[in-house]
Every structure is written in structure tokens, then in C-alpha cells.
Amino acid sequence: MSAPTPVAIVTGASRGIGYAIAEELARRGHRLALLARSTGPLEEAARRLAGAAPAVRAFPCDVRQAEQVAATFRQLLDWGGRADVLVNNAGIGGFGPLHELSEAVWNDTLDTNLRGAFLCSKAVAPQMIRQRSGYIINISSLAGKNAFAGAAAYCASKWGLLGLTKCMAEDLRGYGIRVTAICPGSVQTEFSPHAGKDPARMLQPEDVARAVGWLIEQDARSFPSEIDLRPTQKP
Ligand SMILES: NC(=O)c1ccc[n+]([C@@H]2O[C@H](COP(=O)([O-])OP(=O)(O)OC[C@H]3O[C@@H](n4cnc5c(N)ncnc54)[C@H](OP(=O)(O)O)[C@@H]3O)[C@@H](O)[C@H]2O)c1
């Protein structure tokens, strides 16, 4: 019997790093379930990827909303029948100095970047446990390791995501499920203006996507806990 065509789920897949990761996984023969909030850009991304992947489907979903996440994962697991890769990439940058940071921005940043990854991972884990295989890749950031002014919410969310990654890996490795965090430096996307940085020196979304490709190429008996991905020249 031939191996089933693998299914990859990518959150925040309508643009930027998530789109590049979806493209990389398509090239590697995965069926794609693409998630983001805005339906138009997500469906446009699915159309653009349709020629490259064995199958692509857009699943509009806000990863901050527990019920939406649970319903979306039920739908996409019905559609795909399995789950080989989940990339928790959806993220926002809520920035501002602590004394000016609103509770709304704090909540939004933590809910998207940290709670969203928890909800999506929890929704996919039972399927991966049944399969006794799967790879969960969390897109954290070097901001999950390095503090900088004006980034309390963002750094806390990405620092937390690293803790979540390592605990999830311990919970799931016995079932053959691997969990890794990728921590990129500045990447040239619409995410933030990256004031004062030279875009020519920044990472490109494809650089992060290639790291995802490298991870899933590794034999199922090993996984790195983290990859720190830096631009060679400081931007
Ligand atoms: N760019 C950088 O310098 C950099 C560096 C290190 C790490 N990262 C991390 O990499 C990830 C991707 O960043 P990017 O630069 O590609 O950002 P981006 O271009 O702004 O794309 C963000 C993606 O996430 C989706 N998204 C945002 N909130 C969501 C929600 N609540 N539910 C579902 N989808 C949501 C967006 O679509 P909708 O708005 O339609 O939902 C979009 O598809 C983020 O986690 C970011 O923290 C970025």
C-alpha cells in the first residue's frame, strides 16, 4: 500500500512567512490546509498555491477563538483525513512601552501568539497521537530570547511560546510527535516597519520556510528543540 499524501496545516498562511512555508510544504508534496482570519487574501493564497500542491483548502479561522479553532480543526481533519505537520505561525506584533501598553494590546498579542498556538496544537494532537506521528513547528522569534524596549507583550508571547514548545515536546515525543520552535531575526514582511533596519540585509520569508523544510526532512527519530535563524549581516 502506498503512503498517504501528507497533510500540512499552516496558520497565518495568507501572506509573509506563513505563505512561504505553505509554498515550501507544497513543493514537498503536502496537501495544504491554510488558516488566517481574512477570507479574501486566504482564498487568493490558496488559488496561487493550487498548482503547486496535491490539494489546497482555505479554512478562515481566528486562532484566538477557542470554539472557532475546534470547529475548524474538525472540518480540516474531515477534509484531510490526517495531520502530518502543523505550523503555528499566525502572529501579531503588539508594541509599546510597558507604561503605555493597553490591556487590550497585551491580551490580543498573547491570545494570538501564545494561546492560539496552544489551541491549534491541542486541536491537532489527538489525531497525531492516533497516527503515532506528526510534527508541530512553532514560529517564535529571537524576541523570545532577547529583550528590547517597547516589546513587553511581544517578547512575553514569544518567550512563552518557547516554554510551550518544550513542554509540548515532552508531552508528545512518546507518541512519535516532534515539536520544534524556529526563532527568526527580522524578516522582510508586512508584519512591522522594522524602523532603522536595512531591508536588503533582513531575512526573507523563504529563509524561514527552508528551515521548516529542513526540519521535516530529518529522520523521525530526531528533532532539534529550537532553531535560531539570523541574518548574516546585522540589518
Ligand atoms: N517579520 C518578522 O520580522 C518576524 C520575525 C520573527 C518572527 N516572526 C513571526 O513570524 C510569524 C509570521 O509573521 P509575518 O512577518 O509573516 O507576519 P504577517 O506578514 O503580518 O502575516 C501574519 C499572518 O498571520 C495571520 N493572522 C494574524 N492574526 C491571526 C489570527 N488571530 N488568527 C489567524 N491568523 C492570524 C494574518 O492573516 P489575517 O490578518 O487575515 O488573520 C497573516 O496571514 C509571526 O508569528 C511573527 O511573530 C516574524
Side-chain angles (χ1 to χ4, degrees):
M1 215 170 68
S2 59
T5 310
V7 172
I9 303 148
V10 183
T11 71
S14 57
R15 61 174 189 262
I17 296 170
Y19 181 84
I21 291 171
E23 231 178 357
E24 176 78 24
L25 291 167
R27 253 197 307 279
R28 290 167 179 272
H30 288 67
R31 289 180 283 153
L32 297 176
L34 308 179
L35 278 63
R37 289 169 302 181
S38 314
T39 308
L42 187 65
E43 282 178 347
E44 175 55 28
R47 268 194 295 279
R48 282 163 57 203
L49 289 163
V56 186
R57 179 93 166 255
F59 293 91
C61 176
D62 184 337
V63 300
R64 294 170 300 181
Q65 308 294 334
E67 283 174 17
Q68 250 187 62
V69 170
T72 301
F73 274 74
R74 275 196 299 275
Q75 260 179 46
L76 71 82
L77 290 172
D78 276 353
W79 169 76
R82 54 184 296 111
D84 298 278
V85 179
L86 165 65
V87 185
N88 285 310
N89 165 79
I92 58 165
F95 294 104
L98 179 81
H99 50 286
E100 290 169 13
L101 196 61
S102 69
E103 196 179 340
V105 169
W106 170 270
N107 286 343
D108 209 18
T109 307
L110 272 289
D111 282 354
T112 308
N113 299 2
L114 181 55
R115 190 161 163 276
F118 158 69
L119 292 173
C120 293
S121 302
K122 191 169 154 62
V124 86
Q127 175 63 33
M128 290 183 171
I129 288 171
R130 275 193 293 279
Q131 291 169 192
R132 290 290 191 276
S133 70
Y135 211 140
I136 300 176
I137 298 168
N138 294 328
I139 307 302
S140 181
S141 171
L142 289 179
K145 301 181 166 199
N146 304 317
F148 57 99
Y154 187 65
C155 286
S157 73
K158 294 298 186 180
W159 229 290
L161 187 55
L162 291 180
L164 175 66
T165 301
K166 290 192 175 169
C167 292
M168 275 168 45
E170 292 309 315
D171 285 339
L172 298 175
R173 63 196 294 185
Y175 300 101
I177 301 164
R178 297 173 287 167
V179 188
T180 298
I182 300 180
C183 301
S186 300
V187 186
Q188 196 187 6
T189 67
E190 293 168 32
F191 180 78
S192 91
H194 291 291
K197 297 205 170 173
D198 177 357
R201 292 182 163 197
M202 281 161 64
L203 295 168
Q204 296 300 311
E206 294 70 27
D207 299 326
V208 184
R210 272 192 290 272
V212 169
W214 180 81
L215 282 175
I216 62 166
E217 237 175 50
Q218 301 310 301
D219 193 277
R221 77 179 154 256
S222 74
F223 68 102
S225 300
E226 291 173 8
I227 295 181
D228 290 353
L229 194 64
R230 300 172 194 280
T232 307
Q233 304 293 336
K234 285 196 170 186

